[in-house]
Amino acid sequence: MDNLKVFGFLLYIYSSNQNKLSSPATPKSMAAVSLPSSSSVFSFFLTTIFLLSISSWEVEAHPVPALINEKLYNNLFLHKDDTACPANNFYTYSSFIRATKYFPRFGTTGSLATRKREIAAFLAQISHETTGGWATAPDGPYSWGLCFKEEVNPGSNYCDDTNKEWPCYPGKSYKGRGPIQLSWNYNYGQAGKALGFDGLKNPEVVANSSLIAFKTALWFWMTEQKPKPSCHDVMVGRYVLTQADIAANRTVGFGMVTNIINGGLECGIGNDARVNDRIGYFKRYASLFGVQTGPNLDCENQKSF
């Protein structure tokens, strides 16, 4: 129920009580019902509307573009448009912001610090997936996110032919594409269904449209795929650990997000370079957003989902 409907509902209650208070009552009704005073009903009405308004104002005052403007975006991705990056001029700020509008809970859930931290975590993860950085790279290894838009020399076509719900289309490759490097036929199929494109017959669109590319990354971030929670719920503190999580030593934090994205290859390994790269991006981005990273950054002691 939106705030306008709540307002109307409370106004109806207030008016009804006003009428009851002003109407004569029989001794029986007077004994059976103790009506609140006009002032107490009105106070409740005003307090409720005030709280609803504050909640609405917080989101409206800090939408995603207010938390990450184009200048900050370009400072995060210092080299994304270098000629050395195959994806130069593909991952535009405009496409990113447009894509976020399809996922209104992204970057708008929780406190201001939580919202900034979620955006920083998302951008850090997609930066690792598309990184062009190296140890001695100009401006450091964590300034080269969004350098690639599709996987180079994939080892397979990422077709799981045992998955009959999302069958592979002949001749198509479901290699990594886009900011999150969307992979496998079942992910392309589900993303396409959710976002309005044919991910099985036309997976290439993820590397040809920057808007769709960002939308697939946000779809993956926001979508729960059991037993995995959504990355969003983990980063905003809404996910509650299950008994299976506890048994697998999984803890809520950036490390669990890495586990969701690529835990089968990266988690449960001490000092994994890929995990450290993700963390390096996150630390840099969190600093630029002016927030703490929070605990549980790695997944070296976690079992994968």
Side-chain angles (χ1 to χ4, degrees):
M1 184 180 292
D2 60 32
N3 287 359
L4 185 60
K5 291 179 180 177
V6 172
F7 182 90
F9 178 67
L10 290 173
L11 184 60
Y12 169 76
I13 293 175
Y14 174 66
S15 300
S16 298
N17 276 286
Q18 284 290 85
N19 292 335
K20 289 178 182 178
L21 287 167
S22 61
S23 301
T26 64
K28 182 179 179 180
S29 65
M30 289 290 287
V33 180
S34 177
L35 291 173
S37 67
S38 172
S39 60
S40 65
V41 172
F42 189 62
S43 296
F44 168 77
F45 166 75
L46 287 179
T47 300
T48 304
I49 292 301
F50 174 75
L51 293 174
L52 289 169
S53 298
I54 287 293
S55 175
S56 176
W57 175 84
E58 285 183 345
V59 173
E60 291 172 2
H62 302 291
V64 173
L67 300 182
I68 173 171
N69 57 28
E70 190 165 7
K71 180 180 179 180
L72 176 55
Y73 183 82
N74 289 332
N75 284 339
L76 294 168
F77 306 109
L78 286 173
H79 294 281
K80 71 180 181 64
D81 294 328
D82 282 16
T83 55
C85 287
N88 63 83
N89 299 313
F90 182 71
Y91 294 114
T92 65
Y93 174 75
S94 173
S95 291
F96 168 63
I97 294 302
R98 286 173 62 198
T100 65
K101 293 179 180 179
Y102 290 85
F103 301 89
R105 291 184 295 118
F106 175 76
T108 63
T109 304
S111 68
L112 182 57
T114 297
R115 295 168 189 174
K116 289 182 176 181
R117 187 179 300 109
E118 181 190 9
I119 298 171
F122 170 76
L123 296 178
Q125 291 287 1
I126 66 172
S127 290
H128 168 77
E129 295 293 335
T130 59
T131 187
W134 65 99
T136 58
D139 299 306
Y142 310 123
S143 300
W144 288 78
L146 299 184
C147 193
F148 290 86
K149 61 179 180 178
E150 59 187 334
E151 188 175 356
V152 178
N153 299 321
S156 73
N157 62 1
Y158 291 91
C159 170
D160 178 4
D161 54 15
T162 67
N163 190 302
K164 304 305 180 183
E165 184 177 3
W166 306 105
C168 303
Y169 196 75
K172 294 297 181 179
S173 170
Y174 303 102
K175 66 179 182 178
R177 296 184 181 92
I180 203 71
Q181 289 292 279
L182 190 73
S183 306
W184 295 100
N185 49 306
Y186 46 83
N187 280 324
Y188 274 92
Q190 291 180 82
K193 181 178 180 181
L195 301 174
F197 70 94
D198 194 333
L200 294 175
K201 291 184 179 180
N202 188 24
E204 300 86 358
V205 70
V206 179
N208 294 331
S209 165
S210 60
L211 177 59
I212 291 177
F214 273 121
K215 286 167 71 174
T216 61
L218 285 163
W219 167 83
F220 186 92
W221 184 267
M222 301 297 296
T223 303
E224 175 188 42
Q225 297 193 55
K226 293 182 177 180
K228 296 179 180 182
S230 71
C231 301
H232 167 77
D233 281 350
V234 171
M235 286 309 303
V236 302
R238 287 191 169 183
Y239 181 63
V240 178
L241 293 172
T242 65
Q243 287 301 314
D245 290 324
I246 295 170
N249 204 37
R250 293 191 285 264
T251 51
V252 173
F254 187 76
M256 179 178 274
V257 172
T258 298
N259 200 335
I260 293 168
I261 294 172
N262 205 28
L265 295 177
E266 298 181 22
C267 295
I269 304 170
N271 199 34
D272 185 82
R274 296 161 296 185
V275 174
N276 292 339
D277 189 66
R278 296 177 192 272
I279 295 171
Y281 271 111
F282 187 35
K283 286 181 175 178
R284 176 174 178 260
Y285 292 179
S287 176
L288 289 172
F289 272 97
V291 295
Q292 300 295 316
T293 59
N296 306 318
L297 295 181
D298 64 60
C299 60
E300 67 179 18
N301 296 313
Q302 298 182 26
K303 292 182 179 179
S304 62
F305 285 93

